[in-house]
Amino acid sequence: MELKQLNFFLAVAEDLHFGRAAERMYIAQPALSQHVRRLERELGVELFDRRGRNVRLTAAGKAFVDEARRVVEQSERAASVARRASDGITGTLNIGYYPAMSASIAPGLVQRFLESTDDLSVQLSADNPAGLEEAIFRGDVDLALTTGPVSRAGLESIVVAASPIAAVVMDDHPFARRRFIEPADLREEPLIMAARNSDQRLFDSIVAACHAADFNAQAAHTVEGPELVLPAVLCGLGVGVIPTSSFNGFAHGRASAVVIGGVPPIEVVLARRIDRTEPSVMAFWDSALSYVES
C-alpha cells in the first residue's frame, strides 16, 4: 500500500467522481483508476460502487476513509517533524525570567509561542536581572525576560512592555482614591522598597525621582525583592513602590497601585546573546516581536 494510493482514494471519496478527482490531483483519469484498483486488490475489498453513472463508497470504503485520512495526516506530520528537526526547531528552549517584573507578561508570550509549535517545549528558570544577564552571557539560558535596557556587550534585547512605577497602598489609604500621585507626595510616607542588590535599576529610579522632588528616599522597610513589597504593604508596614507589572503579577484585592507621575517606566525586555541564532531561539524571538506588535 503506497501513500499516493491513499491520496488518490481520498480524492475520489471526496469528489465521488473519478474525472474531477483526477483533474484535482493532476493525473490522467485512467492512471487514477488503476491506482485505486491496485489498492482494492491489495485490501481484498471494493472501495467504490461503480455501477451506473454515479460513484458511491461501499461499506468498506466508508470504513476505510477515516483510517486512510489519519495515515495521510500522520505522514505529513512526520515529514514536518523531520524538517523541523533538520532546521533545529525541536527540543527544549530554556527561558530565564525575572518574576517580579514579568510574572504578568511571561504567560502570554510563552503561550503564544507554544501554540505555534508542536515540537518545542519551554523550561523556565527564575533569577534577578543581574543573574539573568550573566546566565544569558554564559549560555545557561537561551533567552530571558528581564528589566532593560541590557547594555552588556554581546547581548541584545527587544522591549516587550513598559511598566510605570506605582505606589502600592491598602484600599483605605487616601492615595487609593487618586488616579496618580507625584513623587513629592511620598515625602512623609513610610516607604517599602526592594533592596538595591535585587533590582538596581528600580532602586535607582525611585531614589532619583525622590531626589528630583527635593527629598531623600528613606525606606522604612526594605525587602529582598520587588515581589515581596506587596506582602509587606498588606501587613501594614507602609507604602510600597514597585512597577505596575510587579503589582499585576501578584495582585491582591485589598491593595491598589497608583501610578507615580513623572517617573520613567521600567522596561521589560526579552534578551539574548547576539550570536545565539539557532532556529529555536529565533522562533521565540520572532514570536515575541509578533506579540508586541499585535
Side-chain angles (χ1 to χ4, degrees):
M1 186 186 307
E2 299 177 10
L3 191 60
K4 66 180 178 181
Q5 292 174 335
L6 297 181
N7 280 307
F8 291 146
F9 160 72
L10 289 172
V12 179
E14 290 166 4
D15 292 338
L16 294 179
H17 193 284
F18 277 86
R20 287 194 296 269
E23 184 177 349
R24 181 155 63 91
M25 299 299 289
Y26 301 101
I27 187 174
Q29 181 177 336
L32 174 64
S33 298
Q34 290 176 10
H35 279 292
V36 174
R37 285 292 190 190
R38 190 175 301 121
L39 177 61
E40 288 176 319
R41 286 196 298 271
E42 291 180 15
L43 295 173
V45 298
E46 287 193 352
L47 299 172
F48 295 103
D49 182 349
R50 299 169 175 78
R51 291 174 296 181
R53 298 174 60 88
N54 298 320
V55 175
R56 293 179 298 176
L57 283 165
T58 62
K62 291 177 182 178
F64 190 60
V65 165
D66 289 340
E67 297 302 322
R69 187 171 289 118
R70 270 193 283 270
V71 170
V72 170
E73 290 173 353
Q74 182 58 40
S75 70
E76 292 172 351
R77 173 175 166 74
S80 175
V81 168
R83 285 191 294 269
R84 291 174 69 84
S86 177
D87 292 339
I89 312 180
T90 58
T92 300
L93 200 60
N94 294 302
I95 300 176
Y97 79 113
Y98 179 32
M101 284 295 293
S102 59
S104 62
I105 299 166
L109 282 174
V110 174
Q111 288 171 10
R112 182 187 184 97
F113 173 69
L114 291 177
E115 288 171 358
S116 69
T117 179
D118 296 325
D119 306 315
L120 268 170
S121 60
V122 168
Q123 178 71 43
L124 296 176
S125 58
D127 206 338
N128 61 30
L132 288 172
E133 192 166 303
E134 184 63 26
I136 301 168
F137 191 79
R138 291 196 310 262
D140 295 341
V141 298
D142 300 313
L143 309 103
L145 282 164
T146 184
T147 55
V150 173
S151 56
R152 184 166 182 170
L155 304 183
E156 70 170 330
S157 63
I158 52 174
V159 178
V160 296
S163 182
I165 295 178
V168 178
V169 296
M170 298 291 287
D171 287 339
D172 59 358
H173 192 285
F175 287 174
R177 296 190 292 272
R178 297 170 62 173
R179 294 182 61 186
F180 66 92
I181 63 171
E182 297 296 333
D185 294 325
L186 299 172
R187 187 189 306 270
E188 304 300 328
E189 298 291 338
L191 299 183
I192 304 170
M193 297 169 56
R196 189 174 189 268
N197 61 8
S198 69
D199 192 330
Q200 180 179 336
R201 293 187 183 94
L202 174 60
F203 185 93
D204 290 351
S205 181
I206 296 169
V207 170
C210 293
H211 181 73
D214 295 324
F215 74 97
N216 293 324
Q218 296 292 334
H221 194 78
T222 301
V223 294
E224 292 182 1
E227 69 277 10
L228 299 176
V229 169
L230 178 57
V233 172
L234 295 173
C235 288
L237 300 180
V239 174
V241 186
I242 53 175
T244 53
S245 59
S246 180
F247 175 80
N248 293 336
F250 303 93
H252 193 285
R254 295 188 292 122
S256 300
V258 185
V259 172
I260 304 172
V263 183
I266 299 292
E267 293 180 345
V268 182
V269 303
L270 177 67
R272 70 178 176 93
R273 212 166 66 187
I274 292 174
D275 62 355
R276 293 296 304 275
T277 57
E278 304 96 307
S280 57
V281 172
M282 297 312 299
F284 192 91
W285 187 267
D286 292 341
S287 178
L289 283 173
S290 176
Y291 179 87
V292 172
E293 294 168 358
S294 63

